[in-house]
Amino acid sequence: MSRIGKAPIAIPAGVTVTVDKDNVVTVKGPKGTLSQKVDPQITVKVEGTHVEVSRPSDEREHRAKHGLYRALIHNMVVGVSEGYKKEMELVGVGYRATTTGQVLELALGYSHAIYIKFPPEIKVEAKTERNKNPLIILESDDKQLLGQVCAKIRSLRKPEPYKGKGIKFVGEVIRRKSGKSAGAK
């Protein structure tokens, strides 16, 4: 049996989980409302202070979806109660980030500035301190959307292995390579 799928999801105080007849799970909490359509073969039951996800058989497809939908519902519950936060760091001389409302302006060493407009579900903030790398702080209640946006930002200038320049997550370790071998004949 799926270890992830069979674990019940605890519902914290202030969060409500509902399942309608079309098998759409809606989670409401202090940070917002999220909904997810669940495969009709997977059963979702709300019992008091926890949610249980079950499957009809041990078929390969059912096992895969069992853990998937349990994880998606858990991410929604955590998102509307606590929220998710990602911090990204710009490493490189002249790399800058500024925000105006929901628009992020990036200077990444290209001949032009890059502007990214964010959906209203994501809060974006840019911090620049003296003698430190600029930071981009992203917050949202939707983990999938937040991860997708972070991946898009990172793809604009991935960290390179020689000097480590680029956009990386705070705490991410970049595998470094040594440059040319000196004196090789």
Side-chain angles (χ1 to χ4, degrees), residues 9-36:
I9 304 164
I11 303 173
V15 175
T16 57
V17 179
T18 55
V19 183
D20 65 4
K21 63 182 182 301
D22 296 329
N23 229 17
V24 175
V25 177
T26 307
V27 182
K28 292 181 185 172
K31 299 244 180 201
T33 303
L34 295 171
S35 60
Q36 173 70 45

Side-chain angles (χ1 to χ4, degrees), residues 98-119:
T98 53
T99 54
T100 49
Q102 287 293 95
V103 177
L104 176 68
E105 180 186 351
L106 295 170
L108 300 174
Y110 296 118
S111 61
H112 58 282
I114 298 169
Y115 296 92
I116 303 172
K117 187 171 182 347
F118 291 98

Side-chain angles (χ1 to χ4, degrees), residues 29-135:
K31 299 244 180 201
T33 303
L34 295 171
S35 60
Q36 173 70 45
K37 175 115 175 75
V38 178
D39 192 286
Q41 298 170 336
I42 303 297
T43 310
V44 180
K45 291 181 189 166
V46 181
E47 296 174 0
T49 60
H50 64 277
V51 178
E52 292 201 1
V53 181
S54 58
R55 64 176 188 247
S57 70
D58 271 348
E59 203 174 300
R60 185 183 176 103
E61 183 183 0
H62 293 158
R63 288 196 319 258
K65 289 181 179 176
H66 187 207
L68 167 75
Y69 285 117
R70 190 263 177 207
L72 292 176
I73 295 168
H74 179 262
N75 289 343
M76 291 193 306
V77 169
V78 172
V80 298
S81 60
E82 300 166 23
Y84 291 99
K85 182 178 180 179
K86 293 266 187 180
E87 293 184 355
M88 302 180 88
E89 186 177 13
L90 279 69
V91 181
V93 176
Y95 287 11
R96 291 186 319 275
T98 53
T99 54
T100 49
Q102 287 293 95
V103 177
L104 176 68
E105 180 186 351
L106 295 170
L108 300 174
Y110 296 118
S111 61
H112 58 282
I114 298 169
Y115 296 92
I116 303 172
K117 187 171 182 347
F118 291 98
E121 297 91 22
I122 293 183
K123 288 196 304 187
V124 62
E125 180 187 350
K127 283 187 181 177
T128 306
E129 292 181 29
R130 191 165 168 81
N131 295 329
K132 287 193 177 178
N133 292 327
L135 287 176

